[in-house]
Amino acid sequence: MVYLFSLFSTETGTGYGLHFFAIILAGLFLRVPYVSVILRIRPIITFLPVMTAIYCLVSLVITPDPLIVIFQLALLALAKIVLMVMGTSIFLELVSSAELIDALRTLWFRLKLKWRPVEDLFQLFDLTLRFFPMVMEEVKALMGMEKALGIETSRSRWTQIKKVAEYLPTLVVICIHRAEQIGLAMEGRGYGKVLPRTVAWPVHFGLWDGIILMVALFFITGRTFIV
């Protein structure tokens, strides 16, 4: 939170360099595998040159700024996006999505607020995290079945995308059937009758967590008044 707030408050190349240095130190100190971070940000890196070119073309049309100024602004925006994605990727390598949802649900449970829409939103996140890996497993199973039958498959990325698109109706039917089963199970277990719902694996908030939170809020407040 502190890193992202500081990053969005920075507008100079020196500030971006300091944030990049902070990412390197955090990765070394926390022993984050940089290979995993690179795999996470690779799709964004691939798309950024196209986005930068579009930004420059649009800016040339609608603004009177010279090309060098537009290019500098584009590079700064590019650096901000890359640093933001890198910082988020390091965080996701350290904390899984399920743990993050459990932490948010623990905070919500301690507030003792009986708001059904919020409970449904948390449940939606949980189901999404479960269903997406299930869909990926179904795709891999169907492709593995083709290999087992001796059907020749292409390694081309576009061909694989077309193949997944052919499987899409079957995958949708399978997911709808599983969603119906999960809905019946949730209804049978009394989902929504007791609010707020308890957390199976609550995340405990200790003294050090409170100290870190106070330091983070102090930094954000100070940064806001300094800027």
Side-chain angles (χ1 to χ4, degrees):
M1 181 176 63
V2 171
Y3 172 80
L4 292 178
F5 186 87
S6 177
L7 177 62
F8 279 100
S9 302
T10 301
E11 298 294 340
T12 62
T14 304
Y16 293 149
L18 292 175
H19 284 81
F20 180 75
F21 184 67
I23 285 181
I24 298 299
L25 288 180
L28 294 175
F29 180 74
L30 300 172
R31 298 180 180 179
V32 177
Y34 284 103
V35 176
S36 301
V37 176
I38 292 174
L39 290 176
R40 285 179 179 272
I41 68 174
R42 187 171 60 181
I44 304 297
I45 298 297
T46 304
F47 176 70
L48 283 179
V50 179
M51 187 178 67
T52 304
I54 295 174
Y55 173 83
C56 292
L57 290 175
V58 173
S59 298
L60 283 173
V61 174
I62 66 176
T63 64
D65 296 333
L67 179 60
I68 185 64
V69 174
I70 293 175
F71 189 67
Q72 289 176 351
L73 293 175
L75 287 181
L76 289 177
L78 187 71
K80 180 173 290 188
I81 293 174
V82 172
L83 291 173
M84 178 186 68
V85 174
M86 289 180 64
T88 306
S89 299
I90 290 177
F91 174 76
L92 292 177
E93 285 294 324
L94 297 172
V95 181
S96 67
S97 300
E99 291 174 339
L100 183 59
I101 292 177
D102 285 340
L104 294 175
R105 286 195 58 211
T106 302
L107 292 175
W108 177 255
F109 175 74
R110 291 183 178 181
L111 292 175
K112 301 298 182 180
L113 297 177
K114 299 181 179 181
W115 294 356
R116 178 65 182 270
V118 178
E119 296 288 348
D120 291 341
L121 183 62
F122 282 130
Q123 188 64 35
L124 176 63
F125 289 152
D126 284 331
L127 293 176
T128 302
L129 291 176
R130 294 182 184 182
F131 264 89
F132 186 73
M134 288 168 55
V135 173
M136 297 299 296
E137 290 176 1
E138 291 291 342
V139 173
K140 291 180 181 179
L142 291 172
M143 291 185 173
M145 185 174 58
E146 284 192 352
K147 290 182 180 180
L149 294 174
I151 301 176
E152 186 176 353
T153 58
S154 175
R155 294 184 178 181
S156 171
R157 179 63 60 87
W158 178 246
T159 303
Q160 293 179 358
I161 293 175
K162 290 175 62 178
K163 183 65 66 174
V164 173
E166 294 176 359
Y167 294 146
L168 189 59
T170 303
L171 294 175
V172 170
V173 172
I174 292 174
C175 289
I176 290 176
H177 179 65
R178 289 187 176 180
E180 184 179 1
Q181 290 179 331
I182 292 175
L184 291 175
M186 290 170 57
E187 185 178 354
R189 295 178 181 179
Y191 172 78
K193 294 182 179 179
V194 178
L195 297 175
R197 294 186 301 134
T198 57
V199 185
W201 295 281
V203 179
H204 299 287
F205 190 86
L207 177 61
W208 279 110
D209 299 308
I211 293 174
I212 292 173
L213 180 60
M214 294 300 296
V215 171
L217 294 176
F218 179 78
F219 174 84
I220 292 175
T221 304
R223 181 80 176 180
T224 303
F225 283 106
I226 291 174
V227 174

mmCIF file of all heavy atoms in Angstrom, residues 48-86:
data_model
loop_
_atom_site.group_PDB
_atom_site.id
_atom_site.type_symbol
_atom_site.label_atom_id
_atom_site.label_comp_id
_atom_site.label_asym_id
_atom_site.label_seq_id
_atom_site.Cartn_x
_atom_site.Cartn_y
_atom_site.Cartn_z
ATOM 1 N N LEU A 48 2.986 -3.150 -23.707
ATOM 2 C CA LEU A 48 3.331 -1.758 -23.444
ATOM 3 C C LEU A 48 3.833 -0.997 -24.674
ATOM 4 O O LEU A 48 3.477 0.175 -24.846
ATOM 5 C CB LEU A 48 4.363 -1.688 -22.317
ATOM 6 C CG LEU A 48 3.804 -1.892 -20.909
ATOM 7 C CD1 LEU A 48 4.920 -1.836 -19.884
ATOM 8 C CD2 LEU A 48 2.739 -0.858 -20.589
ATOM 9 N N PRO A 49 4.697 -1.558 -25.536
ATOM 10 C CA PRO A 49 5.124 -0.792 -26.719
ATOM 11 C C PRO A 49 3.958 -0.349 -27.607
ATOM 12 O O PRO A 49 3.953 0.781 -28.116
ATOM 13 C CB PRO A 49 6.044 -1.767 -27.463
ATOM 14 C CG PRO A 49 6.570 -2.658 -26.403
ATOM 15 C CD PRO A 49 5.442 -2.824 -25.436
ATOM 16 N N VAL A 50 2.960 -1.220 -27.766
ATOM 17 C CA VAL A 50 1.789 -0.856 -28.563
ATOM 18 C C VAL A 50 1.031 0.289 -27.901
ATOM 19 O O VAL A 50 0.616 1.262 -28.553
ATOM 20 C CB VAL A 50 0.878 -2.082 -28.751
ATOM 21 C CG1 VAL A 50 -0.365 -1.708 -29.554
ATOM 22 C CG2 VAL A 50 1.631 -3.198 -29.447
ATOM 23 N N MET A 51 0.853 0.201 -26.581
ATOM 24 C CA MET A 51 0.144 1.236 -25.855
ATOM 25 C C MET A 51 0.900 2.565 -25.919
ATOM 26 O O MET A 51 0.292 3.633 -26.059
ATOM 27 C CB MET A 51 -0.044 0.821 -24.400
ATOM 28 C CG MET A 51 -0.914 1.765 -23.582
ATOM 29 S SD MET A 51 -1.146 1.183 -21.904
ATOM 30 C CE MET A 51 0.536 1.340 -21.286
ATOM 31 N N THR A 52 2.238 2.506 -25.838
ATOM 32 C CA THR A 52 3.046 3.724 -25.910
ATOM 33 C C THR A 52 2.924 4.374 -27.280
ATOM 34 O O THR A 52 2.803 5.604 -27.397
ATOM 35 C CB THR A 52 4.517 3.395 -25.612
ATOM 36 O OG1 THR A 52 4.605 2.749 -24.336
ATOM 37 C CG2 THR A 52 5.354 4.652 -25.592
ATOM 38 N N ALA A 53 2.951 3.568 -28.335
ATOM 39 C CA ALA A 53 2.819 4.108 -29.686
ATOM 40 C C ALA A 53 1.456 4.777 -29.877
ATOM 41 O O ALA A 53 1.360 5.867 -30.461
ATOM 42 C CB ALA A 53 3.019 2.994 -30.711
ATOM 43 N N ILE A 54 0.399 4.135 -29.377
ATOM 44 C CA ILE A 54 -0.942 4.727 -29.487
ATOM 45 C C ILE A 54 -1.014 6.037 -28.713
ATOM 46 O O ILE A 54 -1.591 7.028 -29.178
ATOM 47 C CB ILE A 54 -2.001 3.724 -28.985
ATOM 48 C CG1 ILE A 54 -2.044 2.503 -29.900
ATOM 49 C CG2 ILE A 54 -3.375 4.383 -28.915
ATOM 50 C CD1 ILE A 54 -2.959 1.400 -29.410
ATOM 51 N N TYR A 55 -0.409 6.053 -27.535
ATOM 52 C CA TYR A 55 -0.403 7.279 -26.720
ATOM 53 C C TYR A 55 0.301 8.422 -27.449
ATOM 54 O O TYR A 55 -0.190 9.564 -27.458
ATOM 55 C CB TYR A 55 0.279 6.988 -25.385
ATOM 56 C CG TYR A 55 0.488 8.207 -24.528
ATOM 57 C CD1 TYR A 55 -0.526 8.691 -23.713
ATOM 58 C CD2 TYR A 55 1.711 8.876 -24.518
ATOM 59 C CE1 TYR A 55 -0.343 9.809 -22.923
ATOM 60 C CE2 TYR A 55 1.906 10.003 -23.737
ATOM 61 C CZ TYR A 55 0.882 10.463 -22.944
ATOM 62 O OH TYR A 55 1.077 11.579 -22.161
ATOM 63 N N CYS A 56 1.447 8.134 -28.053
ATOM 64 C CA CYS A 56 2.191 9.171 -28.768
ATOM 65 C C CYS A 56 1.406 9.691 -29.965
ATOM 66 O O CYS A 56 1.361 10.913 -30.217
ATOM 67 C CB CYS A 56 3.547 8.628 -29.211
ATOM 68 S SG CYS A 56 4.696 8.293 -27.855
ATOM 69 N N LEU A 57 0.770 8.794 -30.713
ATOM 70 C CA LEU A 57 0.007 9.215 -31.891
ATOM 71 C C LEU A 57 -1.187 10.086 -31.485
ATOM 72 O O LEU A 57 -1.446 11.131 -32.109
ATOM 73 C CB LEU A 57 -0.468 7.987 -32.668
ATOM 74 C CG LEU A 57 0.612 7.182 -33.391
ATOM 75 C CD1 LEU A 57 0.023 5.922 -34.011
ATOM 76 C CD2 LEU A 57 1.278 8.037 -34.464
ATOM 77 N N VAL A 58 -1.907 9.667 -30.457
ATOM 78 C CA VAL A 58 -3.062 10.444 -30.008
ATOM 79 C C VAL A 58 -2.615 11.797 -29.471
ATOM 80 O O VAL A 58 -3.253 12.833 -29.734
ATOM 81 C CB VAL A 58 -3.846 9.657 -28.948
ATOM 82 C CG1 VAL A 58 -4.961 10.515 -28.339
ATOM 83 C CG2 VAL A 58 -4.445 8.396 -29.553
ATOM 84 N N SER A 59 -1.518 11.829 -28.738
ATOM 85 C CA SER A 59 -1.019 13.090 -28.183
ATOM 86 C C SER A 59 -0.573 14.043 -29.281
ATOM 87 O O SER A 59 -0.767 15.259 -29.183
ATOM 88 C CB SER A 59 0.148 12.812 -27.221
ATOM 89 O OG SER A 59 -0.273 12.014 -26.136
ATOM 90 N N LEU A 60 0.030 13.523 -30.342
ATOM 91 C CA LEU A 60 0.432 14.379 -31.458
ATOM 92 C C LEU A 60 -0.762 15.028 -32.144
ATOM 93 O O LEU A 60 -0.674 16.151 -32.647
ATOM 94 C CB LEU A 60 1.236 13.559 -32.477
ATOM 95 C CG LEU A 60 2.688 13.237 -32.113
ATOM 96 C CD1 LEU A 60 3.286 12.293 -33.137
ATOM 97 C CD2 LEU A 60 3.514 14.522 -32.012
ATOM 98 N N VAL A 61 -1.888 14.305 -32.149
ATOM 99 C CA VAL A 61 -3.077 14.813 -32.831
ATOM 100 C C VAL A 61 -3.812 15.855 -31.992
ATOM 101 O O VAL A 61 -4.256 16.888 -32.502
ATOM 102 C CB VAL A 61 -4.018 13.643 -33.197
ATOM 103 C CG1 VAL A 61 -5.330 14.166 -33.768
ATOM 104 C CG2 VAL A 61 -3.339 12.721 -34.192
ATOM 105 N N ILE A 62 -3.930 15.601 -30.676
ATOM 106 C CA ILE A 62 -4.800 16.439 -29.848
ATOM 107 C C ILE A 62 -4.058 17.459 -29.000
ATOM 108 O O ILE A 62 -4.701 18.304 -28.360
ATOM 109 C CB ILE A 62 -5.685 15.569 -28.934
ATOM 110 C CG1 ILE A 62 -4.810 14.818 -27.917
ATOM 111 C CG2 ILE A 62 -6.530 14.620 -29.752
ATOM 112 C CD1 ILE A 62 -5.611 14.011 -26.910
ATOM 113 N N THR A 63 -2.716 17.398 -28.951
ATOM 114 C CA THR A 63 -1.962 18.362 -28.138
ATOM 115 C C THR A 63 -0.919 19.081 -28.990
ATOM 116 O O THR A 63 -0.408 18.509 -29.961
ATOM 117 C CB THR A 63 -1.252 17.659 -26.965
ATOM 118 O OG1 THR A 63 -0.269 16.744 -27.480
ATOM 119 C CG2 THR A 63 -2.241 16.919 -26.098
ATOM 120 N N PRO A 64 -0.576 20.321 -28.633
ATOM 121 C CA PRO A 64 0.443 21.059 -29.388
ATOM 122 C C PRO A 64 1.869 20.791 -28.915
ATOM 123 O O PRO A 64 2.812 21.430 -29.390
ATOM 124 C CB PRO A 64 0.056 22.524 -29.130
ATOM 125 C CG PRO A 64 -0.547 22.500 -27.760
ATOM 126 C CD PRO A 64 -1.243 21.179 -27.619
ATOM 127 N N ASP A 65 2.061 19.867 -27.968
ATOM 128 C CA ASP A 65 3.394 19.603 -27.417
ATOM 129 C C ASP A 65 4.306 18.996 -28.484
ATOM 130 O O ASP A 65 3.843 18.221 -29.344
ATOM 131 C CB ASP A 65 3.302 18.638 -26.233
ATOM 132 C CG ASP A 65 2.526 19.247 -25.072
ATOM 133 O OD1 ASP A 65 2.515 20.494 -24.972
ATOM 134 O OD2 ASP A 65 1.935 18.485 -24.291
ATOM 135 N N PRO A 66 5.606 19.302 -28.424
ATOM 136 C CA PRO A 66 6.546 18.697 -29.371
ATOM 137 C C PRO A 66 6.705 17.201 -29.127
ATOM 138 O O PRO A 66 6.372 16.689 -28.052
ATOM 139 C CB PRO A 66 7.853 19.457 -29.108
ATOM 140 C CG PRO A 66 7.713 20.001 -27.736
ATOM 141 C CD PRO A 66 6.254 20.277 -27.538
ATOM 142 N N LEU A 67 7.271 16.525 -30.108
ATOM 143 C CA LEU A 67 7.377 15.066 -30.042
ATOM 144 C C LEU A 67 8.255 14.618 -28.880
ATOM 145 O O LEU A 67 7.951 13.619 -28.218
ATOM 146 C CB LEU A 67 7.948 14.526 -31.358
ATOM 147 C CG LEU A 67 8.141 13.003 -31.441
ATOM 148 C CD1 LEU A 67 6.806 12.297 -31.254
ATOM 149 C CD2 LEU A 67 8.779 12.618 -32.762
ATOM 150 N N ILE A 68 9.330 15.345 -28.597
ATOM 151 C CA ILE A 68 10.240 14.942 -27.536
ATOM 152 C C ILE A 68 9.554 14.988 -26.171
ATOM 153 O O ILE A 68 9.745 14.114 -25.321
ATOM 154 C CB ILE A 68 11.507 15.839 -27.548
ATOM 155 C CG1 ILE A 68 12.520 15.327 -26.521
ATOM 156 C CG2 ILE A 68 11.149 17.292 -27.326
ATOM 157 C CD1 ILE A 68 13.054 13.962 -26.795
ATOM 158 N N VAL A 69 8.698 15.998 -25.951
ATOM 159 C CA VAL A 69 7.964 16.101 -24.684
ATOM 160 C C VAL A 69 6.954 14.962 -24.561
ATOM 161 O O VAL A 69 6.811 14.342 -23.492
ATOM 162 C CB VAL A 69 7.262 17.467 -24.585
ATOM 163 C CG1 VAL A 69 6.387 17.530 -23.337
ATOM 164 C CG2 VAL A 69 8.289 18.589 -24.575
ATOM 165 N N ILE A 70 6.255 14.677 -25.653
ATOM 166 C CA ILE A 70 5.276 13.587 -25.636
ATOM 167 C C ILE A 70 5.973 12.254 -25.358
ATOM 168 O O ILE A 70 5.485 11.423 -24.575
ATOM 169 C CB ILE A 70 4.521 13.542 -26.976
ATOM 170 C CG1 ILE A 70 3.663 14.796 -27.132
ATOM 171 C CG2 ILE A 70 3.659 12.283 -27.069
ATOM 172 C CD1 ILE A 70 2.971 14.894 -28.466
ATOM 173 N N PHE A 71 7.139 12.063 -25.964
ATOM 174 C CA PHE A 71 7.871 10.811 -25.775
ATOM 175 C C PHE A 71 8.356 10.678 -24.330
ATOM 176 O O PHE A 71 8.309 9.594 -23.745
ATOM 177 C CB PHE A 71 9.049 10.755 -26.741
ATOM 178 C CG PHE A 71 9.737 9.421 -26.783
ATOM 179 C CD1 PHE A 71 9.089 8.307 -27.300
ATOM 180 C CD2 PHE A 71 11.025 9.272 -26.287
ATOM 181 C CE1 PHE A 71 9.719 7.067 -27.321
ATOM 182 C CE2 PHE A 71 11.660 8.051 -26.310
ATOM 183 C CZ PHE A 71 11.001 6.942 -26.830
ATOM 184 N N GLN A 72 8.813 11.773 -23.745
ATOM 185 C CA GLN A 72 9.251 11.735 -22.350
ATOM 186 C C GLN A 72 8.095 11.401 -21.419
ATOM 187 O O GLN A 72 8.239 10.595 -20.486
ATOM 188 C CB GLN A 72 9.877 13.071 -21.966
ATOM 189 C CG GLN A 72 11.229 13.330 -22.618
ATOM 190 C CD GLN A 72 11.771 14.709 -22.277
ATOM 191 O OE1 GLN A 72 11.071 15.533 -21.688
ATOM 192 N NE2 GLN A 72 13.008 14.975 -22.661
ATOM 193 N N LEU A 73 6.932 12.022 -21.652
ATOM 194 C CA LEU A 73 5.762 11.718 -20.832
ATOM 195 C C LEU A 73 5.333 10.264 -20.996
ATOM 196 O O LEU A 73 4.922 9.611 -20.025
ATOM 197 C CB LEU A 73 4.606 12.651 -21.210
ATOM 198 C CG LEU A 73 4.806 14.129 -20.874
ATOM 199 C CD1 LEU A 73 3.643 14.952 -21.418
ATOM 200 C CD2 LEU A 73 4.944 14.326 -19.366
ATOM 201 N N ALA A 74 5.435 9.756 -22.215
ATOM 202 C CA ALA A 74 5.076 8.358 -22.464
ATOM 203 C C ALA A 74 6.026 7.416 -21.716
ATOM 204 O O ALA A 74 5.596 6.409 -21.148
ATOM 205 C CB ALA A 74 5.099 8.062 -23.959
ATOM 206 N N LEU A 75 7.323 7.751 -21.708
ATOM 207 C CA LEU A 75 8.285 6.909 -21.000
ATOM 208 C C LEU A 75 8.033 6.921 -19.492
ATOM 209 O O LEU A 75 8.151 5.888 -18.825
ATOM 210 C CB LEU A 75 9.710 7.370 -21.301
ATOM 211 C CG LEU A 75 10.248 7.065 -22.699
ATOM 212 C CD1 LEU A 75 11.680 7.567 -22.845
ATOM 213 C CD2 LEU A 75 10.192 5.568 -22.981
ATOM 214 N N LEU A 76 7.691 8.090 -18.945
ATOM 215 C CA LEU A 76 7.392 8.161 -17.515
ATOM 216 C C LEU A 76 6.146 7.339 -17.163
ATOM 217 O O LEU A 76 6.122 6.637 -16.153
ATOM 218 C CB LEU A 76 7.199 9.624 -17.095
ATOM 219 C CG LEU A 76 8.460 10.498 -17.080
ATOM 220 C CD1 LEU A 76 8.110 11.936 -16.724
ATOM 221 C CD2 LEU A 76 9.491 9.950 -16.100
ATOM 222 N N ALA A 77 5.110 7.449 -18.011
ATOM 223 C CA ALA A 77 3.911 6.640 -17.780
ATOM 224 C C ALA A 77 4.214 5.153 -17.912
ATOM 225 O O ALA A 77 3.709 4.324 -17.141
ATOM 226 C CB ALA A 77 2.823 7.049 -18.768
ATOM 227 N N LEU A 78 5.079 4.819 -18.879
ATOM 228 C CA LEU A 78 5.488 3.432 -19.073
ATOM 229 C C LEU A 78 6.215 2.907 -17.843
ATOM 230 O O LEU A 78 5.953 1.797 -17.360
ATOM 231 C CB LEU A 78 6.388 3.334 -20.303
ATOM 232 C CG LEU A 78 6.788 1.949 -20.776
ATOM 233 C CD1 LEU A 78 5.596 1.235 -21.374
ATOM 234 C CD2 LEU A 78 7.907 2.047 -21.802
ATOM 235 N N ALA A 79 7.133 3.725 -17.306
ATOM 236 C CA ALA A 79 7.874 3.321 -16.115
ATOM 237 C C ALA A 79 6.952 3.134 -14.923
ATOM 238 O O ALA A 79 7.108 2.187 -14.138
ATOM 239 C CB ALA A 79 8.950 4.369 -15.805
ATOM 240 N N LYS A 80 5.965 4.001 -14.779
ATOM 241 C CA LYS A 80 5.031 3.889 -13.658
ATOM 242 C C LYS A 80 4.233 2.600 -13.744
ATOM 243 O O LYS A 80 4.033 1.913 -12.727
ATOM 244 C CB LYS A 80 4.097 5.093 -13.621
ATOM 245 C CG LYS A 80 3.093 5.074 -12.483
ATOM 246 C CD LYS A 80 2.313 6.362 -12.405
ATOM 247 C CE LYS A 80 3.195 7.510 -11.950
ATOM 248 N NZ LYS A 80 2.418 8.753 -11.680
ATOM 249 N N ILE A 81 3.773 2.239 -14.920
ATOM 250 C CA ILE A 81 2.982 1.018 -15.084
ATOM 251 C C ILE A 81 3.839 -0.208 -14.787
ATOM 252 O O ILE A 81 3.411 -1.136 -14.090
ATOM 253 C CB ILE A 81 2.392 0.950 -16.503
ATOM 254 C CG1 ILE A 81 1.363 2.061 -16.699
ATOM 255 C CG2 ILE A 81 1.749 -0.411 -16.751
ATOM 256 C CD1 ILE A 81 0.833 2.160 -18.105
ATOM 257 N N VAL A 82 5.073 -0.230 -15.310
ATOM 258 C CA VAL A 82 5.958 -1.376 -15.083
ATOM 259 C C VAL A 82 6.269 -1.534 -13.601
ATOM 260 O O VAL A 82 6.221 -2.641 -13.047
ATOM 261 C CB VAL A 82 7.256 -1.217 -15.897
ATOM 262 C CG1 VAL A 82 8.262 -2.290 -15.522
ATOM 263 C CG2 VAL A 82 6.964 -1.283 -17.391
ATOM 264 N N LEU A 83 6.581 -0.438 -12.923
ATOM 265 C CA LEU A 83 6.891 -0.507 -11.496
ATOM 266 C C LEU A 83 5.675 -0.925 -10.678
ATOM 267 O O LEU A 83 5.793 -1.670 -9.700
ATOM 268 C CB LEU A 83 7.403 0.853 -11.018
ATOM 269 C CG LEU A 83 8.784 1.265 -11.549
ATOM 270 C CD1 LEU A 83 9.096 2.701 -11.148
ATOM 271 C CD2 LEU A 83 9.863 0.328 -11.036
ATOM 272 N N MET A 84 4.499 -0.459 -11.077
ATOM 273 C CA MET A 84 3.281 -0.846 -10.371
ATOM 274 C C MET A 84 3.031 -2.339 -10.512
ATOM 275 O O MET A 84 2.735 -3.032 -9.523
ATOM 276 C CB MET A 84 2.089 -0.057 -10.918
ATOM 277 C CG MET A 84 0.766 -0.419 -10.277
ATOM 278 S SD MET A 84 -0.627 0.407 -11.068
ATOM 279 C CE MET A 84 -0.603 -0.415 -12.674
ATOM 280 N N VAL A 85 3.178 -2.868 -11.735
ATOM 281 C CA VAL A 85 2.946 -4.295 -11.965
ATOM 282 C C VAL A 85 4.003 -5.134 -11.258
ATOM 283 O O VAL A 85 3.696 -6.194 -10.682
ATOM 284 C CB VAL A 85 2.927 -4.578 -13.484
ATOM 285 C CG1 VAL A 85 2.830 -6.075 -13.741
ATOM 286 C CG2 VAL A 85 1.765 -3.872 -14.147
ATOM 287 N N MET A 86 5.258 -4.683 -11.257
ATOM 288 C CA MET A 86 6.314 -5.425 -10.571
ATOM 289 C C MET A 86 6.062 -5.484 -9.071
ATOM 290 O O MET A 86 6.208 -6.538 -8.442
ATOM 291 C CB MET A 86 7.669 -4.785 -10.862
ATOM 292 C CG MET A 86 8.168 -4.987 -12.276
ATOM 293 S SD MET A 86 9.776 -4.199 -12.564
ATOM 294 C CE MET A 86 10.815 -5.150 -11.445
#
